[in-house]
Amino acid sequence: MSSSPAEAYAAAKSRVARPHLTEFTAGLPFQLDGFQRAACDALEEGHGVLVCAPTGAGKTVVGEFAVHLALAQGLKCFYTTPIKALSNQKYADLVARHGESAVGLLTGDTSVNGDAQVVVMTTEVLRNMIYAGSRNLDQLGYVVMDEVHYLADRFRGAVWEEVILQLPPHVALVSLSATVSNAEEFGDWLVTVRGDTTVVVDEHRPVPLWQHMMVGNRLLDLFTLTGGTETPGAELRVDPDLVRQTRELDRQSATAVWDRGRRSRGAPPPRRVGFRPPSRTTVIDRLDRDGLLPAITFVFSRNGCDAAVGQCVRSGLRLTTEDDVAEIRRVIEKHTGDLPQADLGVLGYWEWREGLERGIAAHHAGLLPAFKETVEELFVKGLVRCVFATETLALGINMPARTVVLERLVKYNGEAHVELTPGEYTQLTGRAGRRGIDVEGHAVVVWQPGVDPERVGGLASTRTYPLRSSFRPGYNMAINLVARLGVQRARELLEMSFGQFQADRSVVGLARRIERNDETLAGYAASMQCHLGDFAEYAGLRRKVSDREKALSRQGASDRRVASAEALRALRPGDVIAVPSGKRSGLAVVIDPGLDGDDDPRPLVLSEDRWAGRLSTADFPTPVAALGHIRLPRNLDVRSPRGRRDLASTLRNTGIQAPAPARRRGGNTHDDPELATLRRALRAHPCHGCDDREAHARWGERYHRLSRDTEQIRQKVRATTHSLARSFDRIRALLAERGYVVPGADGEAAVTEHGERLARLWGESDLLAAECLRHGVWENLDPPELAAVVSALVYESRRDNGPVPRVPTGPVSDALADTVRLWSELEADERRHRIDRTREPDLGFAWPVHRWARGESLAQVLAAAEQNGHELSAGDFVRWCRQVLDLLDQIAGVVGRSTPFGQVAREAAASVRRGVVAAGMV
């Protein structure tokens, strides 16, 4: 397309003004979108940038331009990601573009060329560098924070804010985020803490997304245009035909009958005949016929993902050609060639490989890392065309598909089954549509009875995904901040966090309400002024009188209930009583006293008008007494009309008369000295004789109610303002009690030797690990025993209600008991200081890792774990072993690698780092 002379001149001027961007775009096979160019322009002009764009929009181009700038300017660039898989992926991309010598990789278990000019790393690695004062921070010019919206993660999100707050001011920060609805608020905070930051928001999907529902084997559009495609200004709405069809199916399912038929001996029981959702094979086959593969099907269950692959394989489904299979085998060999042959069977390798060769795979956190990497590469290459995945796939690695399928709109969040939120739905379906490959993406919800298309339409059309800070100070953060900045500057830094920024913004609206309420209160106070005296004081006396009367009334009601219950307990069968009020008032005869344990009695009675039923203390405002007694017939059946009639006749013929109802007293108001004193003070007050007393009193009551509400708002503001700094102070107080910080010579807090150890321990149970090292409870253990004991601080069972795990006897059992004892003491202190409690040590991985460290085979270890009631997948076993390795390496570094205990920690790490655990580690 030709451009005008003016446009050509502007483009030439831009190329001259931004030579680095011109050079960068010359090597790209595509033109930059408007939001990409705006962000890159700002970056070359020296601004930090925040880019918020949908998944797959191409925002990582901005991060790659930051890498280009760093290389061109002779500066360093750190490219941070939230997960190792994404780090590995980005490392491979940058190596392909800039060469191995220019790019490094640092993750928890991998270190490649860490001194390179460009280093890809997990965000935690950069945080640790900052606290350690690493030399690698020298000459740092740019930091790219990919997936920066991870700062909302309640477990790891604080790390992102720690980095943003503590990076040197001269470092340009490139923040890349999914679309969030409060991008401007996040941008305002970045401007506050990092200086000049350009916010670039783009909500346009480069590949349009079409929404569908699969009803049976029919693929139907979720939305339709009002008035048709030819109507100007037509709007999308949920297709009324779809709603009508699904409601009819819902009705049929609700009224479905049991298919009894003629059953032969041994036949299965009758089943309900109704709607059946399509099988997974049917769904994939339909998508394949419609040209909608590759597809990701989100199942929300690891076992469900594996079972889905098995179902498709058993059905004979094949999505690959012979040439595809040859390439698939080559990729499999590349990633799994170093796996021990003896372990392939227990790893499920052959079944997994069979699925891949058919173009079908599962992807979840329980997979072996090598298996996951293989699936990811094959899917990106288009060789695996159907992946069944848990939602973790949507949170990180770049695996876009043409179609995303949601089997259910409910997932288990670790505590309960909850419905998907609009933000989660958007995040999952955002994987559909590959830029540069697909003309459009597709999201498919598999319909089941009870699923309302209107609700699906609400999920699909709602764009509310606010970013909420999860920042909270912890022990390691607190001790590092004190060591680097001192107490006062640490408190100031916490006050600058996004969490406090959001809290303070929420206070602004509350402060305005308080201000308006104060103005209104001043008006109420003027309206209740009395020329005879202080009416506010008089109104206070009236409230005290009223409060005392209510208290006495409540006490009187309680006393009467107790007395009524005692009187009912004294009744016997045949006693004649009077029911004082209500529909059943009059004489009644007791048939059964209704005494049942310690509960209030509920006697069964028959009234004069033949009603039979149970009464309670609520039917007797005053204690009941027997007025007489009659003999009950033997074998009386109150359900018999004749029996009720005869007994009612006998009751009426006794001649007993029901007494007049007693007046209920309103409590001991006449006998209470406190109430009498208050009433005397009220009558003696000058305002008691005012002619306008009741009008003033109405204004006084309004004043009191509004004043009470305003004080509640003030308390909320006090709890919100400086909340993070107060949490930091409570943590610091506990650390001081335990000797991790002490007053320094200059009056500033000083970190002790134990505190320096804590500063180098990273993890959820950092202080507990430091306490165990301090008290020496892990010493005198051999390497396998140490691996078993430290596993309790990192492992977390997937089930809270599983059997009590067995642990090795002897030194391991003793050390674990001491560890749990120290945790109990720490938890009590945390409760006293009102600090978030450290998680209780979980002993469920002690036996498996102990056996592994002793040299047992993977098959033996996993079989023993299953017998112990804690079944582990091979992927989970490797993941937990690597976390144990991380803690063992930290311990060795903290105590000194050359010390005897440090040597044991190193040997323990070496004994764990073998076989499938070591595969793929660098």
Side-chain angles (χ1 to χ4, degrees), residues 217-239:
N217 60 359
R218 294 174 300 162
L219 193 62
L220 306 173
D221 289 339
L222 176 62
F223 293 111
T224 186
L225 285 170
T226 56
T229 55
E230 305 300 324
T231 306
E235 295 182 355
L236 283 177
R237 63 168 180 167
V238 176
D239 189 341

Side-chain angles (χ1 to χ4, degrees), residues 250-257 272-273:
D250 254 335
R251 187 190 63 77
Q252 292 175 9
S253 296
T255 58
V257 297
R272 200 174 179 84
V273 178

